[in-house]
Structure formats: structure tokens, C-alpha cells
Amino acid sequence: MCGIAGFIGQQNKFPNKLTIKDCLKLMKRRGPDYQSSVHFKEKIEYLFCASRLSIIDLNERSNQPFEDENGILIFNGEIYNYIEIKKKLKKEGIKFSTNSDTEVLLKFLHYKGESKIEELDGMWSFAYYSKKRKQTILSRDKFGEKPLYFNINKKDKYLIFGSNVNYIKKLSKNKILIDEKKIINFIKNSYRSVFSSTGTFFKDINYLEPGTNLIINENLHIKFKRYWNKSKYNAKLNKLSIATSKVKRLIKSEFKKSFRSDTPIAFLLSGGVDSSIISEISSKIKKNIKFYSFKSKSKNYDESKNIDILKKKYNLKHEYILADKKENFKMLNSYIADNGFPLMSSTYLAYGSLCKKISSDKYKVLISGNGADEIFSGYYAHHMSYLLSIEKESYFKKKHHEWEKNTKPFIRMEILKNFKKFKKMSKEKNPTFHENKEYLKFFIKKNNLKEYKSQRYSNDDFINHLDKDLFEDSVPAQMHSIDNISMYYSIEARAPFLSKKLFDLRNRVNKNLLIQKGIAKYILRNAFKKEVPDSIINEKEKIGFYSPLSETINLKNLKITNLILNNRITKKYLNRDLIKNKIYNNNLSHQDEKFIFSLLNIALFLKKNKR
């Protein structure tokens, strides 16, 4: 919904008026409808900057920074259950002057306090100053859909925060350097190392962990406090009919809240189960909506057959978007410059093409099915972890046979076709179940980097894999790129499957209901089998939203090749001849493409952030 930034600290490092003005200019893409700031002084200096994308209550009365007699708020995101919270607050005699979720959040924070933040449903990053407590709360949503970065300087006694690392760099009087160690880990491990720690590609800039508050008092004492203690897997729902009924009922009720908007809504449509469920629900409750799909030239990623079935069944207003290879390199350069981050995958260039069109059609809200795979087990790798988790059970042979019959024939990645090899890899220090070791062949220089350390989320291998993808690997990378690119085009992206209630329900469901008959996401399929066409419910192949590098970037362009081969990281650490041969001999594997794309990202990132 917005961009936010701010400074809290001593006067000698406080940004001047011109710097603040320049920062607000940087923030305009995240909020083109209104930009403003407020500067106030208590024991220390405070600066709150906001750039608004109007979604709920379009009236200027809901512009930010939003202030009343009790506090000041700048807020990025949406509180989906704001209507329900507002009703409760009104019963307590609390009055409102707007119809916005921003005012509801401000009143909620004052009257309920930071200890009740877990009751909020939605996505957010915000900064709230309590006039009574002389205390500031920075907070980020449970699944990290909305970004929030910070720079703490203990020596000069200040904290700078923002929705984008570039805002922090602009407001800081101190020079902020890039982190070469983070870059090398990104090249070696792709996006899987990026969110395993709170560090960014800049030294001294960190992101606030999801589900966490950062609290600052007037003496600049800073503490971090988790407001969400995630539920643990505790299977109590063992009957499929009861579990599917609960899943279906919860999805329908929660999704309606996440569709709240005073502006038209766009939806991403693939041919999979997740977007089919979203399209079925949305087609009944919203009139001013439109669906968009990316049309891949690759047969491996073409879902148009199923998409056309959905269009006809639900009578959807829909449009296909094609890749623009000539434009993509220019846009990649712009995304990296605007976001201060490399792009996690070439797929998000395709996502950028979608957002560009959606923005030109005057839509401000975009809804996708991200998160469903990670909560309900949608990836081939999840299936292997499931088999690993039941290996000692009497029914393992039956389940393994079902997998061989119904899933294995569609798998292209060798590691996910071989259970014994997968089991061996799972015992490694940081198992990724992907071919990141293939990247090592490109390195000529060893480094003393510590390998990133993956967390353990559950004693059950299957549930642990789901949660690792949800909180560390897949979803953080997805939502980071989705937010950055959608906000580049002044669009708010929402992912309604990323719901605390859905996550908690999943943890009560017996894991054997998530995968049955060798078919992933079985409980979702079963829950909506009457609403979604049989051809999609029964589709066993996982296609997914992916745009191959060959479709998005012309690597034979000399300018692009030179960037990849001649930046200082490539020269220092990598075998340039091998990379050059790979590019020019047209023998890039899927893993090679991901690696080369990472190198291109880093080359552009370094060009924009010279030492």
C-alpha cells in the first residue's frame, strides 16, 4: 500500500531537508498518490516519511503519516480483518474519523498495545510512535510479505529504517558498503542463502524478521521481540472429510477478507489448483476484476490449456501477456537500481511484464496463489521428504509405489527421482535438494566463507521441509521479488494463502492427508473438487510459474556477456572461460541458466553500487 522510511536518533546525524525530499522522491513508486513526512523532537529526533498507494478509503483524510492525540503511524500493507477489529473497538467507545485500515491499526496499537499484534490478519510493515509511552514500534507481518529494513549505528546513536534499502542509504550520512560475502553466498546457493540470515547485500543493513517487533524507547534502547510463536505440528485431524471441510470453510472465509479493496482487483491465473481456487471464490464476490496469465513459449511451462478451461467455466475477463526479450534487460537493470537488490529468479522478469500491463490497465491490487505449495505440499521435493518421514512405517512400500506410479513420471530433476540419493543428501549440513553443487565447477578461488546455516523447524522431515520453504527458502524469496516488482509499478501484491489460521490448521492435520495416492496437495484438491474442473483437480504434473532465461534475456548480446564476464566478482572468483563457453555453445542446463542469471544480477548490482 505504501512506502515508509524514518530516522530515530541524535540530532548530529539527522538528515537535512533536501535529503528528506530526495528520499520521498525515491519512495514515489511505492506510493504515487501522496508523499509527506513529519519531524518531531522529544529527547531525540524523529522522522517519519510515508508515500501512499491508496487502496482502502481513497479520501485524503487517510493520508500518512497518520496522527491523532495518542500517536503517529506510517504503515505499508493491508490489515485484512480491520472491519472486525473496528467493530470491537467501537463497542469499547472508541471513535473513528475515516474508513481506513490505517486508522484502525493506529487505534488498535494505542488501546491494545504491541502484545496483541498477533491478532492482526494481513500483511504489513509499520512504524508506530506512542506519545504516552515515548516509544516506537517497528513491526513486520507474520510471513514477511512486506519488507522492512533497518540500520543501527550504536556509535553515532541512531536507527534508520525503510521499506527499501535505498531509502536507508539516502537518509544515512554514513557510507554504507556492499557485503561481498553475501554476494558469494548468493552466487553459490542462489536465493536459498539470502534469507537464512537477516543480513542484506549491504553491510550494516538488516531486515526485520517476520513475526517480530523492534521496540525503541526515548533513550535509544532497542529490543527485538517476537509477537508470533508459531504453532507446532500436532496432528489431531485424522479424518479426510472433516479436515477438508475445515480447510474449505477457512479458505473461503479468509480469502473474502483478503479481497477487500476500494479499487479494482487483478488476479494472476495459472492452470494450477491454487489459482483455480482463488478464481472460483473471487468470480462470485467481485465484479470489477480481471485475470492475467503469462504465456510461456516453452512447452514445459505452458499452462494455457487449463487456463482456457478456467476462463470458460468461470466466465473470466482475462488476458495473456507475452515476454518482451528486448525490454527485459533494461527492466532488470531498473528493478535492481530501484530495489537495491538482485532479482531472485528470471521468472520475475515475466512477473514484471505482467505487472507492467496490469498497472497500465489501472489496477492497484494483484492477488496470487503464493504460499499454497509451501503450506499444503506442492513441490516434488516435498513428496520425497514425505517418503523419508514415513520410511520406517509399514505403509511405506505402498506410498512409494504410488509415488512411482503417479508422480515420478513427471519429474525432470534427477535428484528428485531417486529416493536413496535424496535420503543421502538430506543428511548434509544444508540440504537444498537442488543442484547447487553444480555451481562449484565455475569457481576457481576458494574462500573462507561460512556456509549459511539452515534452521530446523520440526522433528518430522516432511513438516520441516514445508516450513523451511515457508519461512526460509521459497516464500521469502518469492515475496521479496513479488513485492519489489509489483511496487515498482505501484501495485499492491497479496497472497491470501499466507494465513496464520491456515498454517495453524495445517499443523493440526495428519500429514498423510496432505499427500495421498501419490498426489501432492491432496487435501486442497479434495476440498474443492466440486468447484474446480476435474482436469485440474486430477492434474498430476507440477508445471509452476517459471520463465526460462532463454526466453527472457539475450545472452548473446555482447553488452550483457561483458557484464557477466568482466565484473570484479567474476574476475576474482570464477572461471570466465568456462562461463563464456557455456553461454556461446548453447549448452546451458536449467541449473546453468539459474547460475548465469545470478551472475548477471550481481554484475548489474555492482555497477549500481560502486565502492
Side-chain angles (χ1 to χ4, degrees):
M1 185 178 78
C2 301
I4 64 172
F7 175 98
I8 302 171
Q10 298 298 327
Q11 195 274 333
N12 65 319
K13 290 294 181 178
F14 192 84
N16 59 43
K17 290 182 180 180
L18 181 60
T19 297
I20 295 169
K21 185 179 179 180
D22 287 343
C23 184
L24 288 170
K25 285 181 181 178
L26 284 178
M27 296 168 66
K28 194 168 183 178
R29 284 189 178 275
R30 293 193 75 95
D33 298 323
Y34 183 79
Q35 296 88 39
S36 188
S37 65
V38 60
H39 170 209
F40 58 99
K41 185 176 181 180
E42 298 290 344
K43 269 189 176 182
I44 52 178
E45 305 278 344
Y46 295 85
L47 172 69
F48 281 12
C49 301
S51 186
R52 187 186 182 201
L53 178 67
S54 305
I55 304 292
I56 303 291
D57 189 0
L58 308 184
N59 196 293
E60 64 180 16
R61 66 192 175 188
S62 295
N63 288 341
Q64 299 180 37
F66 197 100
E67 183 174 3
D68 67 6
E69 67 279 6
N70 296 311
I72 303 171
L73 174 71
I74 50 176
F75 163 46
N76 172 30
E78 299 292 344
I79 305 301
Y80 299 150
N81 62 336
Y82 77 99
I83 292 176
E84 290 75 14
I85 292 173
K86 188 174 184 177
K87 286 179 181 178
K88 291 179 181 179
L89 293 175
K90 276 187 170 182
K91 286 182 180 179
E92 297 179 25
I94 298 167
K95 296 181 179 181
F96 294 84
S97 59
T98 76
N99 294 320
S100 69
D101 58 335
T102 302
E103 185 180 19
V104 173
L105 178 58
L106 179 68
K107 304 288 187 185
F108 176 87
L109 291 169
H110 178 70
Y111 290 101
K112 299 299 179 180
E114 56 95 10
S115 63
K116 299 294 183 180
I117 286 176
E118 186 177 346
E119 296 178 12
L120 300 173
D121 289 333
M123 54 180 188
W124 67 82
S125 61
F126 66 73
Y128 165 71
Y129 176 75
S130 169
K131 295 179 180 179
K132 179 180 179 181
R133 302 183 190 94
K134 309 296 182 186
Q135 173 183 279
T136 304
I137 300 171
L138 303 182
S139 182
R140 194 169 178 221
D141 66 73
K142 302 177 183 73
F143 294 93
E145 291 185 67
K146 285 297 171 183
L148 188 56
Y149 305 96
F150 63 89
N151 166 227
I152 296 174
N153 191 304
K154 293 182 179 179
K155 179 182 176 182
D156 293 324
K157 298 181 180 178
Y158 68 78
L159 178 146
I160 304 174
F161 63 89
S163 305
N164 183 308
V165 293
N166 288 334
Y167 307 165
I168 295 174
K169 290 171 65 184
K170 176 59 67 175
L171 293 176
S172 175
K173 289 184 176 180
N174 294 335
K175 189 173 183 180
I176 296 176
L177 303 175
I178 63 170
D179 188 339
E180 190 173 290
K181 292 180 180 179
K182 192 78 172 182
I183 289 173
I184 299 301
N185 262 329
F186 174 66
I187 293 173
K188 286 178 66 179
N189 301 294
S190 187
Y191 60 81
R192 285 175 181 83
S193 67
V194 175
F195 301 98
S196 61
S197 68
T198 62
T200 69
F201 289 87
F202 294 96
K203 294 179 179 179
D204 303 320
I205 296 182
N206 293 73
Y207 69 81
L208 184 62
E209 288 190 81
T212 303
N213 295 332
L214 189 162
I215 304 167
I216 314 109
N217 68 15
E218 61 182 341
N219 296 314
L220 277 176
H221 178 263
I222 297 171
K223 66 176 180 179
F224 296 86
K225 188 175 181 181
R226 294 199 63 83
Y227 64 80
W228 182 34
N229 294 314
K230 303 181 190 75
S231 61
K232 301 294 183 183
Y233 175 64
N234 184 19
K236 293 182 178 179
L237 291 173
N238 299 303
K239 193 171 182 180
L240 182 63
S241 60
I242 295 175
T244 53
S245 176
K246 287 181 178 291
V247 167
K248 184 175 183 178
R249 188 165 56 248
L250 183 59
I251 284 177
K252 288 198 169 187
S253 65
E254 290 302 295
F255 279 26
K256 288 177 182 179
K257 294 176 188 176
S258 68
F259 294 168
R260 287 169 173 168
S261 172
D262 292 334
T263 66
I265 299 180
F267 293 81
L268 291 185
L269 182 65
S270 71
V273 175
D274 315 329
S275 69
S276 299
I277 291 170
I278 290 175
S279 61
E280 191 277 331
I281 297 172
S282 62
S283 64
K284 293 180 179 179
I285 65 171
K286 278 283 182 184
K287 292 182 178 179
N288 195 5
I289 63 176
K290 185 176 178 181
F291 293 78
Y292 295 83
S293 304
F294 181 74
K295 183 90 174 208
S296 176
K297 295 177 183 178
S298 170
K299 292 181 180 179
N300 290 333
Y301 303 103
D302 182 9
E303 296 188 273
S304 58
K305 181 180 177 181
N306 284 348
I307 290 170
D308 290 340
I309 291 172
L310 293 169
K311 284 166 57 179
K312 184 176 180 180
K313 178 174 177 62
Y314 302 126
N315 191 27
L316 304 178
K317 184 180 179 182
H318 175 268
E319 185 171 352
Y320 281 110
I321 305 299
L322 300 173
D324 187 344
K325 201 167 184 177
K326 292 181 179 179
E327 189 73 8
N328 273 334
F329 176 68
K330 177 183 174 183
M331 295 318 302
L332 175 60
N333 199 19
S334 297
Y335 297 150
I336 292 172
D338 184 71
N339 299 324
F341 249 87
L343 212 58
M344 298 293 112
S345 163
S346 60
T347 295
Y348 295 106
L349 289 174
Y351 181 77
S353 297
L354 285 162
C355 287
K356 184 178 180 180
K357 174 58 178 171
I358 291 166
S359 178
S360 70
D361 287 348
K362 309 301 181 185
Y363 288 92
K364 288 184 172 183
V365 179
L366 176 59
I367 293 178
S368 72
N370 292 84
D373 284 323
E374 291 77 11
I375 291 179
F376 293 107
S377 76
Y379 299 137
Y380 293 138
H382 294 160
H383 208 138
M384 295 296 275
S385 287
Y386 168 70
L387 292 175
L388 185 63
S389 74
I390 62 167
E391 187 182 15
K392 295 181 180 180
E393 302 294 339
S394 60
Y395 51 83
F396 170 76
K397 286 186 178 180
K398 177 186 176 183
K399 295 291 185 180
H400 187 269
H401 175 71
E402 290 174 343
W403 168 79
E404 283 191 317
K405 179 183 177 182
N406 292 323
T407 298
K408 186 177 178 179
F410 302 104
I411 300 173
R412 292 187 289 270
M413 195 178 293
E414 288 302 318
I415 179 62
L416 301 181
K417 291 182 178 182
N418 188 319
F419 178 71
K420 289 183 179 179
K421 190 174 181 181
F422 183 91
K423 180 181 177 181
K424 183 179 179 181
M425 183 177 282
S426 70
K427 296 177 181 179
E428 293 180 358
K429 184 178 180 182
N430 286 315
T432 63
F433 312 116
H434 294 272
E435 302 85 341
N436 62 317
K437 286 187 177 180
E438 289 288 315
Y439 303 162
L440 296 179
K441 66 189 176 188
F442 292 104
F443 281 82
I444 58 173
K445 183 174 181 177
K446 292 184 178 181
N447 55 68
N448 297 320
L449 288 181
K450 287 184 178 179
E451 282 292 323
Y452 73 96
K453 186 177 181 181
S454 182
Q455 293 186 46
R456 184 78 187 180
Y457 295 88
S458 172
N459 291 327
D460 184 280
D461 289 318
F462 177 45
I463 301 301
N464 179 68
H465 195 162
L466 295 181
D467 287 358
K468 185 174 182 294
D469 276 351
L470 187 59
F471 297 109
E472 186 177 322
D473 281 1
S474 300
V475 166
Q478 290 170 21
M479 298 317 300
H480 178 271
S481 292
I482 284 172
D483 179 82
N484 281 339
I485 293 177
S486 62
M487 294 305 284
Y488 179 90
Y489 292 101
S490 304
I491 296 171
E492 177 184 273
R494 301 180 185 177
F497 276 106
L498 293 176
S499 158
K500 173 187 176 295
K501 291 180 181 179
L502 267 182
F503 174 74
D504 289 343
L505 177 57
R506 195 285 313 271
N507 276 337
R508 298 199 304 274
V509 172
N510 188 308
K511 66 182 180 182
N512 293 313
L513 302 183
L514 299 179
I515 293 178
Q516 288 203 357
K517 302 176 184 177
I519 300 171
K521 277 192 294 200
Y522 190 84
I523 196 166
L524 269 188
R525 298 171 191 266
N526 196 62
F528 287 88
K529 63 184 179 181
K530 292 182 179 179
E531 288 87 353
V532 175
D534 290 343
S535 59
I536 295 173
I537 286 292
N538 298 324
E539 178 66 70
K540 296 168 185 173
E541 183 177 10
K542 172 70 175 176
I543 297 177
F545 178 49
Y546 180 72
S547 179
L549 184 60
S550 56
E551 284 188 29
T552 53
I553 295 289
N554 180 14
L555 291 177
K556 301 300 173 61
N557 183 314
L558 188 60
K559 179 181 178 181
I560 295 174
T561 306
N562 284 335
L563 273 169
I564 293 171
L565 296 175
N566 295 318
N567 69 80
R568 63 182 177 85
I569 294 294
T570 303
K571 287 181 176 180
K572 187 175 179 180
Y573 291 101
L574 302 169
N575 186 328
R576 293 196 295 165
D577 289 334
L578 179 57
I579 294 169
K580 187 176 181 180
N581 288 336
K582 281 284 184 180
I583 293 173
Y584 282 103
N585 291 339
N586 291 320
N587 63 341
L588 287 177
S589 67
H590 178 68
Q591 295 75 39
D592 291 336
E593 281 199 352
K594 291 194 294 185
F595 181 77
I596 297 299
F597 185 72
S598 295
L599 287 183
L600 177 57
N601 268 263
I602 291 302
L604 291 171
F605 175 79
L606 292 171
K607 187 177 179 181
K608 294 295 179 183
N609 298 279
K610 295 177 181 178
R611 288 186 291 185

